[in-house]
Amino acid sequence: MAASYLTPRPRDFIATELDDISYEAMINAVTHGRPDTAMLGFVNTISREDIALVVDFVRREFMQNKDRNTAYHTVENGWPNHQQYALAFPFALEEIALDTPSEQLSSQQRIGRRIFMQSCVTCHDRARVNDEGVIWDPRPVSYPRNQYSHRQTETTPPDSISSATPYARHEQAPVLVNLTAQEKEGEALFQENCAFCHAPDGTGKNWIGSFLEPHPRDLTDPVNMQTMTAERLRQVIRDGLPDTTMSAWKGVLDAGQIDAVIAYINRAFHPLAKAAPAD
Ligand code: HEC
Ligand code: HEC
């Protein structure tokens, strides 16, 4: 899946012959990476010896022997009789394009495509299609109201984050002392409702926030926050921002709760600007 989004795509080792790329060039690529590609150097991650072993392996197994090396649908992997789906294999293996007109398929192939669409497409995605269709435009996604949790408790691990990700440090709420009762209420409300997108530390640099387009506003950024008054905040939280995932909260939070969230933002992330004096 990742490979299909990368330009250039990672090399297809099965389609590569030993003469196409030298051993030294491969060692160099794994050690130092390839400039202007997603291939990073592993010099600080894997020892020189292990880099040599991995390159030996790729050259022997894939480039020379053309071995599949790993078959996924094996008995050990929990697929007792995968052969029963053989009619769908040509679609999974991208031998037949998924959008081939029905008239051009034999009746067996049509059955195979139906099996593929019912049982295989979830993992194999569209496999190969002739017409890629329109490229999706980025657009706001709706707030997932499911059981996603960005918090770790004693019994449940956090979803889709581990301490190894660059997002992890944005999953920490600031530790504050001497909060007023209102700020404390706001803290709980913010961490329950807003942190999902804006991150517990208010930066919007958590996992979900990084994927939303536009990104949730960084509530700690002095440039953003310089002109942010309580009035502006109140209006945005109440009514939302059109064309973004920032939804209107007026049906969820009452006026007192919104004020509590505002008090918390002011205390935890960035002091709010004073409103222009009314004349
Ligand atoms: C749970 C996810 C999943 C489902 C469901 C799934 N596949 Fe796969 N399949 C894989 C993965 C992962 C591979 C390995 C891909 C690779 O090595 O490039 C694979 C590989 C294959 C291969 C290549 C041989 C092999 O075993 O590695 C065939 C053929 C195949 N799938 C057919 C099917 C068919 C037909 C179905 C539906 C009946 C199906 N798959 C459903 C995940 C899945
Ligand atoms: C589903 C994701 C999501 C949730 C949940 C969410 N926001 Fe937002 N928020 C956004 C996005 C996206 C923006 C738009 C950023 C932009 O337009 O640059 C935004 C913008 C904002 C802004 C900036 C408004 C401005 O005019 O610059 C504030 C303040 C804000 N959100 C506060 C909150 C508060 C408080 C909550 C909880 C009550 C909350 N958000 C919940 C996604 C979210």
Side-chain angles (χ1 to χ4, degrees):
M1 184 60 94
S4 65
Y5 288 108
L6 295 175
T7 319
R9 290 176 70 138
R11 181 184 280 272
D12 177 347
F13 291 121
I14 300 286
T16 305
E17 302 305 325
L18 286 179
D19 291 344
D20 293 344
I21 174 171
S22 72
Y23 175 78
E24 290 70 31
M26 287 179 71
I27 294 282
N28 195 41
V30 181
T31 310
H32 302 296
R34 305 263 300 148
D36 302 326
T37 78
M39 177 65 188
L40 299 176
F42 284 82
V43 64
N44 296 319
T45 322
I46 315 182
S47 70
R48 301 266 170 181
E49 282 160 11
D50 283 350
I51 288 176
L53 286 175
V54 128
V55 168
D56 286 342
F57 170 80
V58 169
R59 290 183 72 84
R60 188 182 60 247
E61 292 289 307
F62 301 135
M63 291 164 57
Q64 185 179 332
N65 298 346
K66 309 290 179 200
D67 263 353
R68 159 157 300 135
N69 179 253
T70 47
Y72 178 75
H73 295 284
T74 60
V75 178
E76 301 78 55
N77 279 350
W79 300 84
N81 179 15
H82 195 56
Q83 207 51 37
Q84 66 187 304
Y85 307 116
L87 289 180
F89 288 6
F91 297 94
L93 296 172
E94 308 193 358
E95 290 161 10
I96 306 179
L98 198 57
D99 54 352
T100 307
S102 289
E103 316 80 79
Q104 295 174 21
L105 297 178
S106 70
S107 60
Q108 297 290 81
Q109 289 170 334
R110 282 202 288 272
I111 296 170
R113 177 159 68 186
R114 203 180 63 229
I115 297 171
F116 184 88
M117 292 305 289
Q118 284 168 349
S119 311
C120 322
V121 74
T122 36
C123 294
H124 283 271
D125 199 29
R126 302 184 303 167
R128 181 165 72 83
V129 289
N130 286 324
D131 178 5
E132 287 290 339
V134 272
I135 307 275
W136 290 359
D137 282 330
R139 55 172 167 69
V141 293
S142 61
Y143 177 49
R145 293 178 189 280
N146 54 21
Q147 295 303 306
Y148 174 91
S149 166
H150 54 82
R151 299 250 199 99
Q152 183 158 16
T153 68
E154 276 174 7
T155 48
T156 52
D159 294 341
S160 59
I161 52 165
S162 80
S163 54
T165 77
Y167 310 109
R169 71 194 170 92
H170 300 292
E171 298 290 341
Q172 319 286 332
V175 178
L176 302 169
V177 290
N178 300 330
L179 291 180
T180 65
Q182 190 193 35
E183 288 164 353
K184 236 184 160 51
E185 183 192 359
E187 178 179 48
L189 288 167
F190 183 91
Q191 296 300 337
E192 269 318 310
N193 296 292
C194 320
F196 178 76
C197 295
H198 286 273
D201 72 351
T203 58
K205 296 190 171 115
N206 53 335
W207 192 80
I208 294 286
S210 311
F211 280 87
L212 293 175
E213 214 27 76
H215 297 311
R217 197 60 59 85
D218 180 350
L219 302 174
T220 67
D221 179 356
V223 178
N224 282 341
M225 295 303 282
Q226 182 176 305
T227 54
M228 184 63 73
T229 61
E231 288 67 32
R232 168 73 190 158
L233 256 180
R234 196 171 291 123
Q235 188 247 318
V236 169
I237 299 173
R238 229 189 293 144
D239 300 327
L241 281 178
D243 299 326
T244 78
T245 45
M246 177 66 194
S247 48
W249 290 85
K250 59 182 168 219
V252 181
L253 303 176
D254 66 29
Q257 289 174 318
I258 291 178
D259 282 344
V261 171
I262 293 171
Y264 174 69
I265 291 175
N266 174 59
R267 176 69 202 280
F269 302 137
H270 196 279
L272 296 175
K274 297 275 172 290
D279 35 28

